[in-house]
Amino acid sequence: MAAIDEVSEEPTGLTPSLLSAWERLKIRTSARYRKLCCKVYKLPAEVLFADQDGGDLPGFPPGAGLRLVHPYPALFAAMIEVVQGARQALVITGSRSRESAYLDSIVRALADRPTLVHHRVLYGPPRNRVLTDHLLALTRLRDPSERTGGVKTLHIGVVEGDQPERFFVASEREAVIVVPSLSGVDPFDTGIVLGEDDAGRLVQHAREAYAGSRRVETAATVRRLAGLDD
């Protein structure tokens, strides 16, 4: 793990649990980490990741960056990887997030990278108190009226009406779309990981959704949306 960090020009966000998931074939190594591993081991990706590439989705060439993640530990690790890898943009949609470790990783990423531009697009009010508390933490961490680096870096909006709720997290490098579970009706445990080109399109998707949303960017507006007393 240290060797991979040494060949990178910026923090990798690599964790022992993520490295273990690669080794046990629980998740596929992303294009970003593949490049770093190839530098360390001085071998082509076709050799290093041949065991992983047997699971590419039909119709897409090996290494295209599109892969299925399942069950929950693999989905969770992939979502965390997107957050940790974001340097320019981090967009998240949906009103049902409740995993504290995932939400905490978002707050840490924004605290560590003041110029990282974050969009959170809600579809209706937050469905649980964990997400409400997360949104309140974002409003304490950043003032949407500030222009760090000349741009607004915190955007929170709620899409109202009968639009279907979307569930994805995306950076300028990678994205994860949550899809219906392969295990049953209720589990939150299945997603599709997209590479850089498609991730950029999802970033734009979220920005357009935010542009048409109602702003919820102060503690007071978050509390009203969640139905809490002022």
Side-chain angles (χ1 to χ4, degrees), residues 15-59:
T15 63
S17 61
L18 181 57
L19 186 62
S20 175
W22 294 345
E23 293 172 345
R24 292 180 291 116
L25 302 183
K26 294 294 185 181
I27 64 173
R28 291 252 316 272
T29 311
S30 69
R32 172 188 172 222
Y33 286 121
R34 286 182 178 221
K35 290 179 181 178
L36 296 175
C37 289
C38 289
K39 286 184 180 180
V40 171
Y41 295 105
K42 296 180 171 55
L43 290 171
E46 292 79 5
V47 174
L48 282 178
F49 305 104
D51 54 345
Q52 294 184 5
D53 288 340
D56 283 287
L57 294 182

Side-chain angles (χ1 to χ4, degrees), residues 14-198:
L14 184 59
T15 63
S17 61
L18 181 57
L19 186 62
S20 175
W22 294 345
E23 293 172 345
R24 292 180 291 116
L25 302 183
K26 294 294 185 181
I27 64 173
R28 291 252 316 272
T29 311
S30 69
R32 172 188 172 222
Y33 286 121
R34 286 182 178 221
K35 290 179 181 178
L36 296 175
C37 289
C38 289
K39 286 184 180 180
V40 171
Y41 295 105
K42 296 180 171 55
L43 290 171
E46 292 79 5
V47 174
L48 282 178
F49 305 104
D51 54 345
Q52 294 184 5
D53 288 340
D56 283 287
L57 294 182
F60 293 87
L66 184 68
R67 67 187 190 276
L68 183 71
V69 284
H70 174 268
Y72 175 73
L75 174 63
F76 179 71
M79 294 170 66
I80 291 288
E81 182 178 335
V82 172
V83 173
Q84 292 178 337
R87 293 296 179 271
Q88 300 173 17
L90 177 63
V91 304
I92 301 173
T93 66
S95 296
R96 301 173 189 273
S97 300
R98 63 173 65 249
E99 177 55 67
S100 295
Y102 166 63
L103 295 173
D104 289 346
S105 75
I106 297 166
V107 174
R108 286 195 301 271
L110 297 183
D112 292 344
R113 300 163 215 150
T115 59
L116 177 61
V117 178
H118 180 45
H119 288 72
R120 163 66 80 157
V121 179
L122 304 165
Y123 287 83
R127 302 302 201 273
N128 58 77
R129 185 57 190 262
V130 176
L131 179 56
T132 298
D133 289 344
H134 169 72
L135 298 175
L136 291 171
L138 294 181
T139 65
R140 291 191 297 269
L141 180 65
R142 290 189 178 182
D143 181 351
S145 66
E146 292 182 359
R147 296 295 183 269
T148 302
V151 298
K152 180 178 177 179
T153 60
L154 179 63
H155 307 73
I156 307 173
V158 56
V159 176
E160 299 171 315
D162 57 359
Q163 291 195 43
E165 190 169 3
R166 281 84 164 175
F167 305 99
F168 64 78
V169 51
S171 73
E172 75 279 4
R173 299 176 173 185
E174 197 172 31
V176 176
I177 303 173
V178 178
V179 298
S181 171
L182 297 178
S183 304
V185 174
D186 292 329
F188 175 88
D189 62 2
T190 307
I192 295 175
V193 179
L194 305 178
E196 185 173 339
D197 289 345
D198 292 324

